[in-house]
Amino acid sequence: MSQLSAARYGKDNVRLLKVERDPNTKIHIVTETTVCALIEGDINVSYTKADNSCVVATDSIKNTIYILAKQNPVNPPELFGAILANHFVMKYKHIHAAHVEIVTHRWTRYDVDGKLHPHSFLRDGIETRNVEVTCKEGSGIFIKSGIQNLTVLKSTGSAFHGFYRDEFTTLKETWNRILSTDVDATWEWCLFASLEDVQNGKCRFTKAWENARTITLRTFALDDSASVQATMYKMADQILAVTPEVLHVEYSLPNKHYFEIDLSWHKDLQNTGKDAEVYAPQYNPNGLIKCRVSRAKAKL
């Protein structure tokens, strides 16, 4: 005997580009996103009884995303995600929760003859600004923001020594190494009671994203890193300090290795230790370090 224990469905990989045009300044703002919207509720019979009467077609969900993007701001993405998620729960009586993920792709205005061009942009990397929004009937709106695929490297200022050693250990200690990673950082907001609550605090979202990105880059550069673990904790701790509405910060950082190449076999050419200049980038295997840092609960 079996039963359906969980179900949700929707539309994934909905790509949209919105162009906002200021008629006075002639300056354009472009925002390109990829949206996933999934809904859940009283939909079990569509799975167990082949009864589609409760199914809001995924094509309708796609159309809703485009229409609401036309009728509402898409920035900040936290607000647009909340508008979408809230819409599905409010529109359909049998839908009790909606889950929206938004990935915002980079388009950066570039300089022409010493001035930022009003309507020309370049894609300066694969870094994205990510948002996850869940709206549950009677429970409020949950929002998680993040940065993904921000690739960074520094050529010194990183060490790794004093680690546990046993019969399985071959790694040598180092006091100076290249450190590189693809930053995946997320921060979880306090629960929002309603869409109005999200709208009233919309200015906080982009400021928090800017702070998180600046803190990540600055700490990566300036920290005399004892390990990826120690550096990522400092990043998360600072984000919590400057954004009081955030409850948790998570980092997932792959350690992208660059190994020295021993060239001494060729005419005693020195390329290790203090003489190292040429390195071999390694793609796998790689270290993967994760952490979740939470705001300490106030003592009563």
Side-chain angles (χ1 to χ4, degrees), residues 222-237:
L222 298 183
D223 184 41
D224 189 10
S225 178
S227 65
V228 176
Q229 289 89 332
T231 298
M232 71 198 312
Y233 179 81
K234 292 177 183 178
M235 294 173 178
D237 183 59

Side-chain angles (χ1 to χ4, degrees), residues 4 67 101 116 134 151 201 203 211 214 223 235 239 258 267 281 283 289:
L4 186 67
I67 292 168
E101 296 181 10
L116 292 176
T134 294
T151 300
C203 294
N211 284 339
T214 298
D223 184 41
M235 294 173 178
I239 292 172
Y258 291 77
K267 300 179 182 180
Y283 293 99
I289 297 89

Side-chain angles (χ1 to χ4, degrees), residues 260-261 263 268-279:
E260 296 177 358
I261 304 172
L263 299 175
D268 198 31
L269 185 61
Q270 298 303 301
N271 189 58
T272 58
K274 63 181 179 59
D275 299 311
E277 292 181 309
V278 179
Y279 298 80

